[in-house]
Amino acid sequence: MKLTFFLLFFQTRSLLSVFEEDAGTLTDYTNQLLQAMQRVYGAQNEMCLATQQLSKQLLAYEKQNFALGKGDEEVISTLHYFSKVVDELNLLHTELAKQLADTMVLPIIQFREKDLTEVSTLKDLFGLASNEHDLSMAKYSRLPKKKENEKVKTEVGKEVAAARRKQHLSSLQYYCALNALQYRKQMAMMEPMIGFAHGQINFFKKGAEMFSKPMDSFLSSVADMVQSIQVELEAEAEKMRVSQQELLSVDESVYTPDSDVAAPQINRNLIQKAGYLNLRNKTGLVTTTWERLYFFTQGGNLMCQPRGAVAGGLIQDLDNCSVMAVDCEDRRYCFQITTPNGKSGIILQAESRKENEEWICAINNISRQIYLTDNPEAVAIKLNQTALQAVTPITSFGKKQESSCPSQNLKNSEMENENDKIVPKATASLPEAEELIAPGTPIQFDIVLPATEFLDQNRGSRRTNPFGETEDESFPEAEDSLLQQMFIVRFLGSMAVKTDSTTEVIYEAMRQVLAARAIHNIFRMTESHLMITSQSLRYFELTSVTQFAAHQENKRLVGFVIRVPESTGEESLSTYIFESNSEGEKICYAINLGKEIIEVQKDPEALAQLMLSIPLTNDGKYVLLNDQPDDNDDGNPNEHRGAESEA
C-alpha cells in the first residue's frame, strides 16, 4: 500500500497511524529475531571452544595415573584417533561460525541499523515540521483585520508557506520510507535464513566428504569393541549375580567370627596372607589403643593399608623375625613379631583362632625366606610334612648331607691322618630313630631342667631356670674367662635322648620338637640370654656339653646334648633346642672354641698358639664373631659384652 500526495484528505492521518504501528511491530520483532540469531551464533562459537577442549581431554586420558590402568592401550589409541577427528570437526565448526556471522547475523543487524533507524529518524523530522507548521498557522490565525497590518500579514503568510513546504517535504520522505519498509522487511527476513541454510549445507557437505569413507570402518571396529566389552560386562554381572545368590543361600555361621573354634581347618603352608587385624598402639606410659587395619604380606615385608589409602605402607621387615602367641590386655588371639636383634616388635590381634594360627604360620614361613625359592609353596609343604612325620618313629632318616659340619664334635670327624695322607673313613650306617630317642619320650616346652633339681637344693625350693633371666644379671663366672660370648635365643624344647655319639640325635630332636609345636599349636617361646664362656654354658659346665650342631637348612636352629649326673649316681642325656637371632653355627663355633680353650689351658704353648690364631681388635680384644648383631640397645654392659671376648 502506498501513500500519495493527497495529504489534505481525511484518511491520511488514519493510514499514517497504521503504517507507524506496523513499523513499531517490525522493530520489536527484528530485535527478537536478532537475539535468536545471535544465540545460534554464540552456540556455534561455544561448539568450537567445546570441541577444542574435548580434543585436549581425549589426549589427556593417556597421562592419567589410573590405579587400574593396565590393558588400556587399545582405548588410548582409539581416543587418539577420535581426538584427531574432533580437531578436524573443530575446523568445520569454526568455518561455520564465520559464515553465520557474515551471512545471517550481519544482514539483520544492517536492516535494523539502516532501515528501521531511518524510518525512526524521518518520523522525528516529520514531527518537528508538523509542529512548526502548527505554530505558524496559529500565528497567522491571530492576525487583525486592520489594513495597516498588511506588512505583518505578508511576513506571516510567507512564514506559513515555508513551514507548510517543509512539512510537505518531510512528510513525503517519511511516507516514502514507510512504503519502502514494506518491501525491505521481506528481504531482511529471507536473506539471513538463506545464509544460515547455505552455511549448514556447506558444513554437512564438507563433513560428509571428510569423514564418511574413512570413518565407516573405524566406527565399525569401535562398535565391535564396545559390543565385546558389553558382553564381558554382562558375563561379569551374571557371575556377580550368581555369587550374590550363593552368599544369600549360605548358612549364617559363615559370617560368624570364630565359628569353627573347636576344630578349625588351618593352612600351615601359607607364604602370603592378607586380612584385617587389630594393631596395638601405645598412647602413654600405661595406656594403649587398638586400631583395626588391613594387613598383607608382600615378599618378605608386612604391609598395612589404612582406610581410604590407595596403597599400603611398610610396617615390619619379616626376614629372620620370630613370631609367637602372647597374652595381651586380656584379649584373645594376640601374637607378637620380634625383630632379629631381639627387640619386641608389634603386637597384633586376629579375629579368630584360625586367622591367628594362619598368620603365625605364614609369618614364620616368610621369616625363613621360603618366598625366595623357585617353588615356595612346595618348600613350605615339604617343611610342614617333615615336621609332621617327625613325631612318628621312622625307619630311616633319609640321605643326610655328606659334608662335614664345623659344629660337630672333633671326636666325630670323618677324616683321619695316616702316613701324612688324608683318608676318609667309611661312612657308618645311619642309626634308627629308636636308637637315638626312645619312642614316646615327653617333650618339655618350658625351660626348667628337671634333671638338675637336686643341684638346686642348696639354693632353695625354687627350681632354677638355666637359660632364663635371673634377678642378678651379672655373670661372675665370666669375669676371669678367656671367652665371653652372649647370644639372644628362644627356647623351643628339650627331651631326654639315649645317646650322644652322633649329631643325628640333635637333628631328630629338632624334628620332633618342631613337629610337636606345630601339631599342638604351641607358638610361645621364651626369650633368653645364652652366655658362653671358656668354663660354662650358662649354668652347665662346658665339659658336660657332649654334642652340638646347627640345622642344615634352617640356620637359626641350634641344639646341644648335655650329660648331667643324677641323684642315683647315674648320668642322663638331654637335648636342648633353641632358635637364635644369629646363625646357629656361630653358637657352635663359640662352644667349640671354649672346649678347645679348656683342652689347652694346661699347656701354655698350645694356649698361646690358639690365642694367636684368633684375630684381635685395635684395643687387644679377641674378635670371635664380627657380625654378631647388637642384641639390646638398653645400655646393659653385660648384654653388650657378647659382641667380642676379652683375654
Side-chain angles (χ1 to χ4, degrees):
M1 184 179 295
K2 301 180 181 179
L3 289 176
T4 66
F5 293 101
F6 301 103
L7 301 177
L8 300 178
F9 288 97
F10 174 75
Q11 293 86 357
T12 303
R13 286 291 178 180
S14 299
L15 292 175
L16 180 60
S17 63
V18 173
F19 273 80
E20 288 179 344
E21 181 180 356
D22 184 82
T25 304
L26 179 60
T27 302
D28 294 338
Y29 174 77
T30 301
N31 290 331
Q32 296 175 6
L33 180 63
L34 178 60
Q35 290 179 359
M37 291 182 175
Q38 287 176 337
R39 186 174 181 182
V40 172
Y41 173 70
Q44 188 60 42
N45 274 334
E46 182 63 28
M47 178 63 75
C48 297
L49 297 175
T51 51
Q52 184 179 7
Q53 183 67 23
L54 175 60
S55 176
K56 292 181 180 179
Q57 288 301 318
L58 292 177
L59 294 176
Y61 180 87
E62 184 180 7
K63 302 178 182 179
Q64 306 304 311
N65 296 323
F66 292 107
L68 303 176
K70 292 184 178 179
D72 281 351
E73 291 78 9
E74 190 172 3
V75 175
I76 291 173
S77 62
T78 303
L79 293 181
H80 278 199
Y81 188 86
F82 272 123
S83 176
K84 183 179 178 181
V85 171
V86 172
D87 283 336
E88 295 177 352
L89 283 174
N90 178 258
L91 296 177
L92 295 180
H93 282 293
T94 303
E95 183 178 353
L96 176 59
K98 184 178 180 181
Q99 289 181 352
L100 292 179
D102 294 339
T103 62
M104 182 183 71
V105 179
L106 182 60
I108 198 70
I109 291 178
Q110 289 177 343
F111 171 72
R112 187 186 69 169
E113 299 298 331
K114 181 180 178 181
D115 297 328
L116 295 179
T117 303
E118 181 184 6
V119 170
S120 177
T121 302
L122 291 175
K123 180 181 178 180
D124 294 338
L125 293 176
F126 174 69
L128 292 175
S130 298
N131 291 335
E132 289 180 5
H133 178 261
D134 292 340
L135 291 174
S136 63
M137 286 299 299
K139 187 176 181 181
Y140 180 78
S141 300
R142 290 195 300 267
L143 288 175
K145 296 179 181 180
K146 295 179 180 181
K147 292 183 179 180
E148 58 269 15
N149 294 329
E150 289 296 332
K151 184 178 179 180
V152 176
K153 290 180 182 179
T154 302
E155 291 177 357
V156 172
K158 291 181 180 181
E159 182 179 348
V160 170
R164 183 169 294 176
R165 181 181 179 86
K166 184 178 180 180
Q167 181 190 22
H168 288 174
L169 181 61
S170 62
S171 63
L172 179 61
Q173 293 175 347
Y174 179 43
Y175 299 154
C176 289
L178 289 175
N179 283 331
L181 185 62
Q182 301 302 312
Y183 298 99
R184 290 175 180 173
K185 75 175 180 180
Q186 298 177 15
M187 296 170 55
M189 297 301 107
M190 297 297 106
E191 187 178 0
M193 296 312 301
I194 293 174
F196 173 77
H198 280 304
Q200 295 291 342
I201 292 172
N202 185 51
F203 172 78
F204 289 117
K205 183 178 179 180
K206 288 186 177 180
E209 293 175 355
M210 185 179 297
F211 301 113
S212 59
K213 294 181 179 180
M215 284 291 289
D216 287 342
S217 59
F218 172 71
L219 292 178
S220 178
S221 63
V222 174
D224 293 339
M225 181 178 68
V226 173
Q227 183 65 25
S228 64
I229 295 174
Q230 180 67 27
V231 172
E232 293 178 3
L233 174 61
E234 292 176 356
E236 188 67 23
E238 180 63 21
K239 290 181 181 179
M240 293 300 297
R241 188 187 66 80
V242 173
S243 300
Q244 291 175 4
Q245 293 296 328
E246 292 177 354
L247 288 175
L248 293 175
S249 61
V250 298
D251 189 78
E252 190 175 350
S253 61
V254 175
Y255 298 98
T256 304
D258 219 12
S259 59
D260 54 351
V261 64
Q265 299 295 326
I266 300 171
N267 185 358
R268 304 186 183 280
N269 305 321
L270 297 173
I271 56 170
Q272 58 183 6
K273 180 71 175 171
Y276 280 93
L277 297 171
N278 292 329
L279 174 65
R280 181 175 180 265
N281 296 314
K282 277 195 172 184
T283 57
L285 294 177
V286 294
T287 57
T288 59
T289 59
W290 294 81
E291 184 178 6
R292 180 175 169 83
L293 299 171
Y294 183 78
F295 289 84
F296 62 95
T297 60
Q298 189 176 70
N301 299 323
L302 179 63
M303 314 291 288
C304 174
Q305 183 173 348
R307 293 183 183 274
V310 177
L314 177 64
I315 292 295
Q316 179 73 53
D317 183 1
L318 298 179
D319 287 346
N320 299 317
C321 283
S322 62
V323 58
M324 66 183 75
V326 294
D327 293 327
C328 186
E329 300 181 9
D330 197 26
R331 284 178 173 249
R332 300 179 300 167
Y333 312 130
C334 295
F335 60 93
Q336 175 177 299
I337 301 175
T338 304
T339 59
N341 59 7
K343 294 181 181 179
S344 298
I346 59 175
I347 296 179
L348 302 168
Q349 180 190 22
E351 67 178 23
S352 65
R353 175 186 171 188
K354 178 178 182 295
E355 285 291 306
N356 182 49
E357 296 187 9
E358 285 189 350
W359 271 105
I360 292 176
C361 292
I363 295 175
N364 190 38
N365 290 336
I366 294 172
S367 68
R368 301 176 184 177
Q369 299 183 349
I370 296 177
Y371 64 92
L372 297 177
T373 60
D374 294 335
N375 192 351
E377 292 83 0
V379 174
I381 293 173
K382 181 180 178 181
L383 290 177
N384 283 283
Q385 286 178 346
T386 304
L388 292 174
Q389 293 172 358
V391 295
T392 304
I394 54 179
T395 57
S396 174
F397 284 100
K399 185 178 180 180
K400 298 292 190 299
Q401 294 186 6
E402 296 179 357
S403 60
S404 177
C405 176
S407 62
Q408 296 177 354
N409 197 310
L410 295 178
K411 67 179 181 179
N412 293 322
S413 173
E414 295 183 354
M415 310 297 291
E416 63 179 7
N417 192 340
E418 182 177 323
N419 296 328
D420 297 333
K421 294 182 180 180
I422 304 300
V423 180
K425 294 176 62 177
T427 303
S429 60
L430 296 175
E432 299 293 336
E434 294 83 352
E435 299 176 7
L436 302 175
I437 301 175
T441 300
I443 299 175
Q444 188 167 326
F445 296 108
D446 60 31
I447 206 167
V448 177
L449 182 64
T452 59
E453 284 187 353
F454 76 98
L455 297 177
D456 299 330
Q457 293 177 357
N458 295 330
R459 301 190 185 105
S461 60
R462 189 173 69 87
R463 296 193 299 178
T464 302
N465 182 339
F467 301 104
E469 305 304 322
T470 63
E471 295 179 1
D472 185 7
E473 284 295 329
S474 62
F475 303 97
E477 71 277 7
E479 294 298 331
D480 299 328
S481 175
L482 295 176
L483 170 67
Q484 298 177 24
Q485 190 71 32
M486 180 182 290
F487 299 90
I488 291 182
V489 296
R490 284 169 291 281
F491 180 70
L492 299 178
S494 64
M495 59 190 309
V497 297
K498 298 172 65 175
T499 180
D500 61 352
S501 60
T502 174
T503 56
E504 298 299 330
V505 67
I506 297 177
Y507 300 142
E508 175 63 19
M510 288 179 179
R511 283 191 288 272
Q512 294 198 21
V513 168
L514 292 177
R517 279 182 169 268
I519 290 176
H520 299 292
N521 300 322
I522 301 175
F523 298 105
R524 286 195 181 88
M525 293 183 289
T526 304
E527 194 170 88
S528 314
H529 289 157
L530 180 64
M531 171 66 80
I532 301 175
T533 68
S534 57
Q535 290 89 21
S536 65
L537 180 64
R538 195 61 187 237
Y539 287 103
F540 294 110
E541 294 292 333
L542 200 58
T543 54
S544 65
V545 179
T546 57
Q547 280 291 353
F548 49 91
H551 197 278
Q552 298 296 325
E553 295 180 359
N554 188 346
K555 302 298 184 181
R556 296 191 299 160
L557 289 181
V558 65
F560 48 82
V561 180
I562 303 293
R563 183 182 292 272
V564 180
E566 296 185 352
S567 57
T568 59
E570 300 178 355
E571 291 183 333
S572 64
L573 296 174
S574 297
T575 300
Y576 289 83
I577 308 300
F578 292 88
E579 180 186 41
S580 173
N581 284 350
S582 57
E583 294 184 4
E585 288 294 339
K586 297 179 180 180
I587 299 178
C588 295
Y589 176 80
I591 296 175
N592 187 58
L593 181 61
K595 295 177 73 67
E596 289 183 359
I597 293 175
I598 292 176
E599 292 180 3
V600 301
Q601 273 184 336
K602 297 181 180 180
D603 187 351
E605 294 182 0
L607 180 60
Q609 188 68 27
L610 177 61
M611 292 296 102
L612 289 176
S613 65
I614 302 176
L616 296 176
T617 61
N618 295 332
D619 54 357
K621 298 180 181 179
Y622 289 104
V623 179
L624 298 181
L625 301 172
N626 294 331
D627 56 348
Q628 172 70 17
D630 188 7
D631 295 335
N632 199 321
D633 295 332
D634 296 336
N636 192 328
N638 291 325
E639 294 174 359
H640 284 282
R641 192 184 302 163
E644 56 191 8
S645 67
E646 301 178 0

